[in-house]
Amino acid sequence: MSVIKGVKGVKDLLPEETPRWRFIEESARRWATRYGFHEIRIPIFEVTTLFARSIGASTDIVEKEMYTFPDRDGTSLTLRPEGTAGTVRSYIEHNRAAIPVPQKYFYTGPMFRHERPQAGRLRQFHQFGVESYGIADPRADVEVIALLWHILHELGLPSLTLEINNLGQAADRDLYRPILVGYLKHHEAGLCGNCKHRIEANPLRVLDCKVPECRIITEQAPRLSESLSETARSYFAQVLAGLDLIHIPYSLNHRLVRGLDYYNLTTFEVTATNLGAQNAVGAGGRYDGLVETLGGASTPAVGFAVGLERIAMLLPDSPKSLSPHDRIIYVAGFGDQGSIAGLTALEELRLSGIPAVSDFRSTTLKAHLRQADRLGCQFALMLGDDEVVKGVAMLRNMESKNQYEVLLSSLSSQIQALLLPS
């Protein structure tokens, strides 16, 4: 019988990797909570119309990348390619606008896009995102940018750069689009196939193309900044002033247009030099028209999402923060009475809040200690027949080899006092 393998572009996260992921997620949750964001859990699939209307029918995501399938009643459903649309749908459906406090959410989980798998870009990938609704103030933009920056910096990611741009309002882009299209048509012969298609469908995306020939052509293209209204310029100036005030460094990037149609005014991206061409770690912006587009009242909104796969690739090793077995006790129960007492000790330690493991296949002390080493446990509780008779066990530090005698009658309290004083 042939072996069934995982789907291309979908990756298993094995036990050796999950501590790294948990460390990332816990750090992001802690920072988001510190900034007043609350967790929301949205469905993994939605009606296809939600994404077609929110993301934009002419975007690469909707045209080529979504996993769409018919439900049994014929309804077209799609696995979520991003988290913002579902969060907005939930915000509208549950009338969260009626709550008289700012609605600030964070979410984490898998997203799905049918892309060519490569480093940091999978068909099932994971994001952590935040969304802030109801505040039409540049300080809200500053707040989410600062949150993103602090999450990534606490994780110790190397060579980070915050890039930021002003997309203006829809009217500004309507004024700019024909100017850009005219320029692109004049240079169409030198553009890549994707950009030739984008000239009519989504011309601003040509500015973001990574193909060297396209970048050379668009370097001389008219800039969106030349078509912005005074209101849009003033708003963006206040965002930059806010970032300066709290000492968040940034770099202006006129090419930063994002791949989703719903953004306006502030757009931003944090990049890392170690990821190659696909170097964005996290990105976001303001999207004041999306709630109204999806049937709600006009609502200002701003948010971001980070790719957990890309963060995990960049995260430096840190034994203190990433080791899952740093304070786990390995219980080495051997012999007829020692094996029984070992099972009791395991349960007592676990119930008292001390992580404890054993390998029930091991029958000798030597075999147990070998497994304790393989599991990376810092301590081993040695418990044989002789120890049971005496009512004691020996606790060994696997690194220093120091040993301590502990009473079985007060096992968990003595171990907590010895090993977990903090």
Side-chain angles (χ1 to χ4, degrees):
M1 186 176 296
S2 62
V3 175
I4 299 174
K5 295 185 177 181
V7 177
K8 183 179 180 180
V10 177
K11 187 176 182 290
D12 296 312
L13 290 175
L14 301 175
E16 294 80 9
E17 300 172 272
T18 51
R20 175 180 295 263
W21 280 68
R22 191 165 59 248
F23 175 66
I24 295 168
E25 292 163 349
E26 289 172 355
S27 179
R29 287 172 181 271
R30 183 173 62 255
W31 273 103
T33 301
R34 190 178 297 178
Y35 272 65
F37 288 79
H38 304 278
E39 185 174 16
I40 185 171
R41 301 195 181 192
I42 54 175
I44 286 179
F45 59 88
E46 304 264 7
V47 294
T48 302
T49 306
L50 174 69
F51 301 114
R53 194 190 301 175
S54 62
I55 296 172
S58 63
T59 59
D60 288 349
I61 295 174
V62 173
E63 285 188 339
K64 297 183 290 187
E65 298 173 2
M66 295 201 313
Y67 281 94
T68 298
F69 55 95
D71 202 354
R72 292 187 177 183
D73 64 359
T75 303
S76 180
L77 303 177
T78 294
L79 297 178
R80 63 186 186 193
E82 53 95 43
T84 299
T87 308
V88 171
R89 190 267 312 148
S90 179
Y91 173 84
I92 297 169
E93 185 173 341
H94 299 286
N95 195 26
R96 304 294 291 185
I99 302 174
V101 294
Q103 294 299 291
K104 297 161 62 175
Y105 309 130
F106 72 85
Y107 57 83
T108 187
M111 311 292 167
F112 305 86
R113 297 184 191 178
H114 192 280
E115 300 184 289
R116 181 172 62 86
Q118 54 187 287
R121 173 173 282 188
L122 299 174
R123 291 176 175 174
Q124 176 179 302
F125 59 100
H126 299 77
Q127 288 186 340
F128 176 91
V130 307
E131 317 290 352
S132 175
Y133 299 110
I135 304 175
D137 189 296
R139 288 173 294 182
D141 304 38
V142 174
E143 181 177 64
V144 298
I145 294 171
L147 172 56
L148 171 60
W149 188 252
H150 290 310
I151 289 172
L152 298 179
H153 261 265
E154 181 179 83
L155 293 172
L157 303 192
S159 306
L160 294 176
T161 301
L162 168 63
E163 298 183 351
I164 190 167
N165 191 25
N166 185 0
L167 291 180
Q169 300 288 10
D172 301 325
R173 294 194 297 276
D174 289 343
L175 180 65
Y176 171 65
R177 193 173 289 108
I179 300 173
L180 177 61
V181 168
Y183 175 87
L184 295 176
K185 281 186 174 292
H186 186 68
H187 297 84
E188 184 173 0
L191 297 174
C192 71
N194 276 342
C195 286
K196 288 176 181 177
H197 170 70
R198 288 168 175 161
I199 290 177
E200 297 296 340
N202 198 348
L204 268 69
R205 286 305 314 282
V206 179
L207 302 175
D208 196 34
C209 182
K210 303 298 189 292
V211 175
E213 293 77 9
C214 295
R215 294 188 73 83
I216 292 172
I217 290 172
T218 54
E219 189 59 41
Q220 302 302 319
R223 296 193 176 184
L224 175 58
S225 59
E226 298 165 359
S227 300
L228 295 178
S229 67
E230 188 54 42
T231 301
R233 294 173 191 268
S234 174
Y235 187 96
F236 191 61
Q238 293 177 70
V239 173
L240 299 184
L243 293 174
D244 290 335
L245 185 66
I246 61 173
H247 309 295
I248 302 292
Y250 58 84
S251 174
L252 298 176
N253 179 2
H254 73 276
R255 291 181 177 274
L256 185 59
V257 295
R258 311 292 295 120
L260 308 176
D261 281 358
Y262 51 63
Y263 285 112
N264 69 297
L265 293 173
T266 311
T267 184
F268 55 88
E269 202 170 69
V270 175
T271 61
T273 56
N274 306 44
L275 288 174
Q278 300 296 335
N279 62 351
V281 181
R286 180 161 283 278
Y287 53 97
D288 292 339
L290 183 55
V291 176
E292 190 172 10
T293 296
L294 294 179
S298 178
T299 305
V302 61
F304 71 75
V306 295
L308 300 190
E309 278 82 1
R310 296 186 182 188
I311 293 177
M313 288 170 60
L314 293 170
L315 188 68
D317 289 331
S318 173
K320 179 179 180 181
S321 58
L322 298 181
S323 174
H325 301 297
D326 187 27
R327 289 283 175 176
I328 287 182
I329 308 296
Y330 184 97
V331 177
F334 57 97
D336 293 339
Q337 296 181 66
S339 297
I340 296 171
L343 184 62
T344 303
L346 277 168
E347 188 70 0
E348 180 181 342
L349 292 173
R350 290 163 175 169
L351 289 176
S352 67
I354 301 173
V357 297
S358 188
D359 186 342
F360 301 131
R361 300 170 300 177
S362 300
T363 57
T364 65
L365 177 60
K366 183 177 180 180
H368 274 298
L369 293 180
R370 185 184 302 120
Q371 293 301 79
D373 267 330
R374 287 171 175 165
L375 287 169
C377 297
Q378 190 173 350
F379 301 94
L381 185 72
M382 300 177 291
L383 188 56
D385 291 346
D386 290 345
E387 285 74 23
V388 173
V389 171
K390 297 177 183 177
V392 300
M394 299 302 297
L395 184 69
R396 171 183 288 192
N397 185 314
M398 296 298 292
E399 295 177 359
S400 68
K401 308 306 180 186
N402 292 335
Q403 296 188 171
Y404 311 88
E405 186 177 273
V406 292
L407 297 174
L408 293 179
S409 59
S410 55
L411 182 64
S412 59
S413 60
Q414 285 188 75
I415 288 180
Q416 284 175 328
L418 282 169
L419 308 178
L420 307 171
S422 59

